[in-house]
Amino acid sequence: MFLPKSEADTNNLRAAEAARREGYARIETWALESIPSAIRRGVTITVQEVQCGDPECSPVDTAVAILFPSGGRGMMGIPLEAKDVSKEALLECFPTEDVLNAWSRGEDAEWPPMDDYDDDNMDFTQKPQLRFSVGQRVVCRVGPDPVKGWAPGKVIQLWYREPTWPPNSLAPYKIELDDGRNIFAPGDVDQIIREYKPSSDE
């Protein structure tokens, strides 16, 4: 007995989503375990798949972002779907201990090493819908305290990337904080970026 096509398709989509989420969870666990224990406390790992329309690149990359309590952060890309990423594949792309230590201190550190690819011709398509738009007020996680470690600002760019990031790796948002700093949000999740809600005395 065959299921109707629509029901079969729905089941296939559910199975694919479950496999993707299981892949995300495995990668988050492996990434956290790979950070030296001395600087691991309070680190947030986010994992997202990024689809690319460039025929020269992998159809789907898995982007892994690391956010330290100091506000230091970085990103790496793995040219595989999340469900297919092995621990070995993650470690091949994982930042060095020196880079991780620099991020943990809130410093900028180049990762991966600069390659000779043409960033201007990268074609990013089929990006997922984001929760916030340019100009929207948000609050961002910038410190270790779960209550006080947040700073308000506004979104100034969607799908931001830096030249040193792997091809096809993007951060959902670039934010200008009220104190003048510019940061990026490595994931579109409430643990990193939330809607700004004015207090009653504003």
Side-chain angles (χ1 to χ4, degrees), residues 87-120:
K87 188 172 185 178
E88 291 72 23
L90 172 69
L91 293 178
E92 284 179 7
C93 303
F94 209 72
T96 64
E97 188 168 336
D98 286 344
V99 170
L100 292 169
N101 281 322
W103 290 346
S104 75
R105 296 189 297 266
E107 300 170 3
D108 290 330
E110 180 181 299
W111 188 264
M114 196 67 154
D115 291 326
D116 294 329
Y117 60 83
D118 185 358
D119 188 61
D120 291 336

Side-chain angles (χ1 to χ4, degrees), residues 59-195:
V60 176
D61 278 5
T62 297
V64 183
I66 303 173
L67 172 64
F68 284 89
S70 64
R73 61 194 72 197
M75 185 179 291
M76 71 193 111
I78 307 168
L80 294 166
E81 294 183 39
K83 66 182 178 62
D84 297 326
V85 173
S86 65
K87 188 172 185 178
E88 291 72 23
L90 172 69
L91 293 178
E92 284 179 7
C93 303
F94 209 72
T96 64
E97 188 168 336
D98 286 344
V99 170
L100 292 169
N101 281 322
W103 290 346
S104 75
R105 296 189 297 266
E107 300 170 3
D108 290 330
E110 180 181 299
W111 188 264
M114 196 67 154
D115 291 326
D116 294 329
Y117 60 83
D118 185 358
D119 188 61
D120 291 336
N121 291 326
M122 299 306 293
D123 178 25
F124 302 102
T125 62
Q126 303 179 45
K127 296 183 287 292
Q129 183 71 35
L130 296 177
R131 294 180 297 156
F132 307 116
S133 56
V134 171
Q136 191 165 350
R137 294 278 292 165
V138 293
V139 290
C140 300
R141 183 76 177 265
V142 295
D145 191 295
V147 176
K148 298 180 180 178
W150 295 81
K154 67 178 179 180
V155 176
I156 58 174
Q157 185 179 335
L158 303 183
W159 299 116
Y160 170 73
R161 64 175 274 103
E162 294 186 353
T164 58
W165 290 355
N168 316 318
S169 293
L170 297 165
Y173 305 104
K174 183 177 183 180
I175 303 101
E176 181 181 350
L177 299 179
D178 288 358
D179 63 12
R181 289 180 293 164
N182 284 352
I183 65 170
F184 68 84
D188 188 17
V189 292
D190 274 348
Q191 295 95 322
I192 294 173
I193 182 170
R194 299 175 180 170
E195 181 181 0

Side-chain angles (χ1 to χ4, degrees), residues 14-41:
R14 286 176 178 166
E17 180 62 22
R20 184 181 302 112
R21 291 187 179 278
E22 289 172 4
Y24 287 175
R26 283 195 303 270
I27 294 166
E28 289 173 6
T29 298
W30 291 335
L32 196 59
E33 292 173 348
S34 301
I35 295 172
S37 58
I39 58 173
R40 190 182 299 159
R41 184 180 178 86

